[in-house]
Amino acid sequence: MAADERPLSPHLQVYRPQLTSVLSILHRATGMALAAGMLLLVWWLVAAAAGPEAFAAVQWFNGSILGRLLLLGFTWALCYHLCNGVRHLFWDAGYGFEIPDAYRSGWGAVVASSGLTLLVWIVGYAVRGG
Amino acid sequence: MSIRTPLARSRGLGSARSGTHHWWLQRITAVALIPLAVWFVVGLVVIGGADHATAIAWVGHPVGAVLLVLAVAFGFWHGQLGLQVVIEDYVHGEGCRIALLIVMKGAALVLALAAILSVLRVALGGAV
């Protein structure tokens, strides 16, 4: 039998999603999203170097509804990947493996990243004055 | 008793011949990115929606330009390490996997170069 015709053992779909597994895949998803977000950063920097007209174009995009939604998404992705990344570093150092600890730090990452995102956008709008 | 030779054990490189090198670089770049990412976001919040003159003053600042180049370099370095693992996990055809890895790493290199050269151009006064 060819390798790709072999039956598969029960996989992810037989498990009820848990906080720990959902946060784990979110770490990877936000990492991929941030890699895509680097395109926007490169565009912004290249446009800044190219001159005022190119820069105005990228700023117009960032200020549009789609641009703002993307930036909001990238903000949360960065905050979450950062908070959950710190959680991973603690695991790497051997701390926080007990299940109650893993849940506490998991909720901590969710709350901290959402709070930081809110803070960034509130301050951002306050600085710009709307 | 291990069936591995004493030499293989002392080298600690494992079956992939690279040991923990990939894992370790991912952690080093992650730790470097913690302060860099915070500095970057704070900077963007402060100059958010700025005109061109304000932006190039921020990008070209003697200290800021160094931090920005570091953020871009570590960001792409960390990002391509992560995307490599994603591709290795989900793309099973060997040819397709190798091709995707080459394209992804090449793209990361080109984009990182474009971003860093832009920062340098602004910092050295090439953009007005």
Side-chain angles (χ1 to χ4, degrees):
Chain A
M1 197 189 293
D4 56 354
E5 289 168 7
R6 287 178 196 153
L8 290 168
S9 62
H11 195 42
L12 284 174
Q13 63 271 21
V14 305
Y15 294 103
R16 184 169 56 87
Q18 302 156 301
L19 179 74
T20 42
S21 61
V22 170
L23 294 189
S24 172
I25 198 62
L26 259 183
H27 193 72
R28 178 163 280 195
T30 50
M32 290 163 70
L34 288 170
M38 290 297 269
L39 289 172
L40 193 53
L41 172 61
V42 173
W43 183 24
W44 193 80
L45 287 172
V46 170
E53 279 174 33
F55 190 73
V58 66
Q59 288 300 72
W60 170 82
F61 175 77
N62 285 337
S64 67
I65 297 291
L66 176 66
R68 281 178 203 225
L69 278 176
L70 274 174
L71 287 174
L72 179 64
F74 288 140
T75 310
W76 184 77
L78 182 62
C79 291
Y80 175 75
H81 201 81
L82 193 129
C83 294
N84 200 54
V86 171
R87 187 167 167 243
H88 269 279
L89 289 173
F90 273 97
W91 283 332
D92 292 338
Y95 301 106
F97 283 118
E98 295 299 325
I99 289 176
D101 294 341
Y103 270 80
R104 263 197 294 274
S105 61
W107 282 118
V110 172
V111 171
S113 56
S114 306
L116 283 173
T117 305
L118 215 59
L119 181 71
V120 164
W121 279 72
I122 289 172
V123 174
Y125 271 105
V127 168
R128 299 182 52 178
Chain B
M1 203 193 90
S2 169
I3 57 165
R4 298 177 63 208
T5 64
L7 179 61
R9 269 216 309 283
S10 67
R11 275 181 175 157
L13 295 180
S15 61
R17 303 277 182 270
S18 60
T20 56
H21 184 64
H22 184 283
W23 181 90
W24 184 241
L25 278 181
Q26 201 170 31
R27 266 62 187 176
I28 295 279
T29 51
V31 171
L33 279 168
I34 296 174
L36 288 171
V38 172
W39 165 81
F40 176 73
V41 171
V42 170
L44 279 195
V45 164
V46 172
I47 68 148
D51 58 11
H52 186 243
T54 316
I56 60 171
W58 183 71
V59 171
H61 185 275
V63 177
V66 174
L67 294 177
L68 200 46
V69 167
L70 283 175
V72 168
F74 277 115
F76 272 105
W77 197 357
H78 185 80
Q80 58 91 19
L81 288 172
L83 288 183
Q84 178 190 339
V85 178
V86 172
I87 292 172
E88 286 169 349
D89 279 354
Y90 300 139
V91 182
H92 301 306
E94 181 140 27
C96 193
R97 182 171 64 231
I98 291 173
L100 257 180
L101 283 172
I102 292 172
V103 168
M104 183 275 291
K105 299 231 169 191
L109 183 63
V110 169
L111 290 168
L113 264 180
I116 289 170
L117 285 179
S118 296
V119 175
L120 293 183
R121 188 169 169 201
V122 171
L124 301 176
V128 255

